[in-house]
Amino acid sequence: MPVSTIAENSLALYGEHVNPQWVKLLDVLEMNVRYERCSGVELFTSDGARILDFLSGYCVHNTGHNHPKILDALKDELDRSGPGMLQSHIPERAGELAFELCRLAGGGLNKVFFCSSGSEGVETAIKFSRAHTGREGLLYAEGAFHGLTCGALSLMDNTFWSEGFGPLLQGNEAVPFGDLDKLAAKLATRKFAAFIIEPIQSEGGIKVPSAEYLQKAQQLCKKYGSLLVLDEVQTGMYRTGTFLAAHQFDVEADIVILAKALSGGIVPVGAVLMKDAVYESVYSSVKRAIVHTSTFSENGLAMRAGLATLEVLQKENLGERCTASGEYLRAQLRQRLSSFEMVSDIRGAGLLCGIEFRPPKKLGLRIPFETFHRIHPGMFGQVLVMRLFRDHNVLTQVCGNNFMVLKVAPPLVATQAQIDEFVLAIEEVLERAHTSPAFWSEPLGMARRVLNL
Ligand SMILES: Cc1ncc(COP(=O)(O)O)c(C=O)c1O
């Protein structure tokens, strides 16, 4: 088939050969648009619309879409026609990127294993923690999201993700996020190789713990011989203002997992940073030099994109800018949204923010809210997402493990004007949710049609 014909048919081919259910879902939400060009915070569609991205591909696009400096670095790497991926040589760029990552992370993290996704990073952390401690089980926090491979799934308590895929890893247990007593009791059994935790829970609902919690967790892990693993797949790379969220809490982990934003949102990549002693438990002899590897680990494009991304993040002071923008965003949201009955909290760090909703008390709102909830617990949030997209050209999403929290996470390059545009949009959507019967009746009709109710 000629290439042009393939392009014309590509949407139909996707539906036929990739994921028809995803196509249906996007159609229902009226979010199935064709993006032609993406730049910074803006996405341009084939029918001429400009959409503000306040999701960043779930914290991938920290440097903004298609940052020109990262594109230039990648073009240069391709033009070089070098050893993109051999697995039989020493890729120098991997050394340079690892050096930079360790320098920025600090805290005695001195070795890096590169991989191609966050989940692969989590799998690495599981294997290395087991190898280092000789223990089998892992402890994790309720509400966590660590990825969808079998090991990562076994560190998540929301069965939506794991149903039908078992049996998963045995011996893992969950503790409530933020509860030191329960954590201490579990760690005291000395059964656990590691406690793995997101320093700020993202999909769990943008939950920010106290510094004391994470610091004590570090002490407890040390006391009972478990490793502390921080999953910074979403929170890392200055998303919360500092290079690692851990830096804000003054906590030092044995292993830190990075991915998503590390390559400017263009090339798949992941990096697992760890202390020398942990690394040496796995690569303990020449015989074991390749005991844990992955084909595209350390590939030239990913490493080059990683170096260029770190340079952009630092040269453009995106960490400091993110801290200031995040404070501005939350202040504006609090000022404009706090009087709405259904808004219960606005929280976050840097540009990882959450707007939490609660069921309304007024009868006129309670009845449609409960009807939505009975159809699907995520429906209220999804209608907000749909309205923001359709009526205001703003892309957002609710948290995957907490449907009552809208995640607000634009690229770190977002301007004050773009933040103001978002605040105005969410204010107008919530104003309608609190006053207009059509806000509720129209999606109810849609849900009935789709679900044949
Ligand atoms: C905190 C966290 N850890 C791990 C992962 C898994 O990353 P990936 O989708 O790249 O496998 C995700 C993905 O969203 C995540 O949010």
Side-chain angles (χ1 to χ4, degrees):
M1 198 187 286
V3 174
S4 60
T5 322
I6 292 177
E8 278 161 30
N9 291 336
S10 57
L11 275 183
L13 292 176
Y14 185 97
E16 199 173 332
H17 299 291
V18 184
N19 188 344
Q21 303 300 347
W22 177 235
V23 177
K24 273 189 213 155
L25 181 61
L26 284 180
D27 282 342
V28 169
L29 296 173
E30 299 182 40
M31 291 174 74
N32 189 0
V33 298
R34 200 162 194 163
Y35 296 102
E36 276 191 341
R37 195 170 64 79
C38 307
S39 172
V41 185
E42 297 176 324
L43 316 173
F44 300 93
T45 68
S46 55
D47 54 8
R50 164 200 165 267
I51 290 166
L52 270 191
D53 181 2
F54 266 58
L55 180 61
S56 302
Y58 299 85
C59 300
V60 166
H61 298 288
N62 291 9
T63 42
H65 290 265
N66 294 313
H67 194 290
K69 291 256 162 55
I70 304 171
L71 292 185
D72 283 348
L74 285 172
K75 285 178 196 159
D76 185 59
E77 191 63 30
L78 286 170
D79 286 343
R80 225 180 117 215
S81 292
M85 203 287 296
L86 280 183
Q87 284 204 298
S88 307
H89 78 309
I90 307 293
E92 310 97 57
R93 296 286 188 203
E96 289 169 32
L97 182 56
F99 171 79
E100 269 300 291
L101 289 171
C102 292
R103 184 183 72 75
L104 290 167
L109 298 165
N110 195 44
K111 289 279 192 301
V112 181
F113 174 79
F114 287 108
C115 50
S116 304
S117 71
S119 303
E120 205 187 338
V122 170
E123 299 297 326
T124 302
I126 294 172
K127 284 176 73 179
F128 281 54
S129 302
R130 284 175 157 189
H132 186 70
T133 60
R135 299 178 183 175
E136 183 184 320
L138 290 109
L139 211 50
Y140 62 94
E142 287 169 10
F145 189 95
H146 292 298
L148 301 182
T149 50
C150 280
L153 279 177
S154 67
L155 300 169
M156 287 156 53
D157 61 335
N158 183 351
T159 52
F160 168 77
W161 305 108
S162 51
E163 208 176 296
F165 299 119
L168 302 173
L169 294 186
Q170 302 301 301
N172 295 351
E173 287 182 47
V175 284
F177 185 79
D179 187 328
L180 276 171
D181 292 340
K182 294 230 167 74
L183 177 65
K186 288 287 177 198
L187 287 173
T189 62
R190 295 180 188 267
K191 281 195 315 196
F192 297 99
F195 175 44
I196 176 164
I197 185 166
E198 301 156 82
I200 296 174
Q201 269 194 345
S202 298
E203 298 310 317
I206 320 295
K207 289 196 179 141
V208 187
S210 67
E212 191 204 357
Y213 172 67
L214 290 175
Q215 287 165 9
K216 290 244 165 84
Q218 180 188 335
Q219 287 163 17
L220 287 167
C221 283
K222 193 157 185 214
K223 179 170 175 193
Y224 294 117
S226 303
L227 298 185
L228 176 64
V229 178
L230 290 183
D231 179 344
E232 295 242 19
V233 168
Q234 287 208 35
T235 53
M237 309 298 298
Y238 296 102
R239 168 55 59 187
T240 67
T242 42
F243 176 64
L244 299 179
H247 294 155
Q248 295 177 40
F249 299 106
D250 210 5
V251 63
E252 289 183 0
D254 299 290
I255 300 180
V256 169
I257 309 160
L258 293 170
K260 291 196 186 277
L262 175 54
S263 62
I266 304 174
V267 189
V269 71
V272 185
L273 282 58
M274 62 191 90
K275 296 192 167 150
D276 283 320
V278 176
Y279 205 80
E280 281 150 19
S281 317
V282 173
Y283 302 104
S284 50
S285 63
V286 173
K287 200 171 117 204
R288 287 174 63 85
I290 55 163
V291 71
H292 185 73
T293 55
S294 171
T295 300
F296 279 97
S297 161
E298 304 173 15
N299 79 82
L301 281 180
M303 298 301 101
R304 189 68 191 266
L307 283 165
T309 302
L310 287 180
E311 198 177 326
V312 168
L313 285 163
Q314 289 171 89
K315 281 206 172 137
E316 295 187 13
N317 280 328
L318 291 183
E320 280 164 37
R321 198 164 142 188
C322 167
T323 302
S325 303
E327 275 162 19
Y328 176 77
L329 169 64
R330 280 184 293 282
Q332 291 298 304
L333 288 172
R334 284 189 187 117
Q335 194 184 324
R336 307 285 278 276
L337 308 187
S338 296
S339 60
F340 288 119
E341 172 179 358
M342 278 186 275
V343 174
S344 66
D345 196 17
I346 288 154
R347 58 177 176 254
L351 283 171
L352 185 60
C353 295
I355 304 173
E356 181 158 44
F357 299 97
R358 65 183 157 213
K361 288 206 180 79
K362 276 195 208 108
L363 195 63
L365 290 173
R366 217 172 65 214
I367 292 171
F369 180 90
E370 281 167 7
T371 312
F372 268 25
H373 203 77
R374 268 196 303 278
I375 294 173
H376 191 283
M379 187 162 164
F380 171 71
Q382 224 46 64
V383 170
L384 292 182
V385 168
M386 187 180 84
R387 294 266 184 216
L388 277 168
F389 189 80
R390 200 186 67 180
D391 302 342
H392 298 274
N393 286 343
V394 174
L395 179 64
T396 55
Q397 194 40 274
V398 291
C399 296
N401 284 340
N402 192 339
F403 299 146
M404 289 300 271
V405 178
L406 184 79
K407 185 195 273 183
V408 185
L412 311 187
V413 294
T415 61
Q416 189 167 316
Q418 288 165 331
I419 290 175
D420 290 342
E421 209 178 319
F422 168 78
V423 174
L424 191 63
I426 183 75
E427 185 184 16
E428 281 179 20
V429 168
L430 289 176
E431 178 70 40
R432 288 193 66 201
H434 286 76
T435 55
S436 158
F439 175 91
W440 302 90
S441 56
E442 191 198 327
L444 272 179
M446 179 190 81
R448 289 202 171 98
R449 275 195 315 278
V450 173
L451 303 170
N452 295 324
L453 295 171

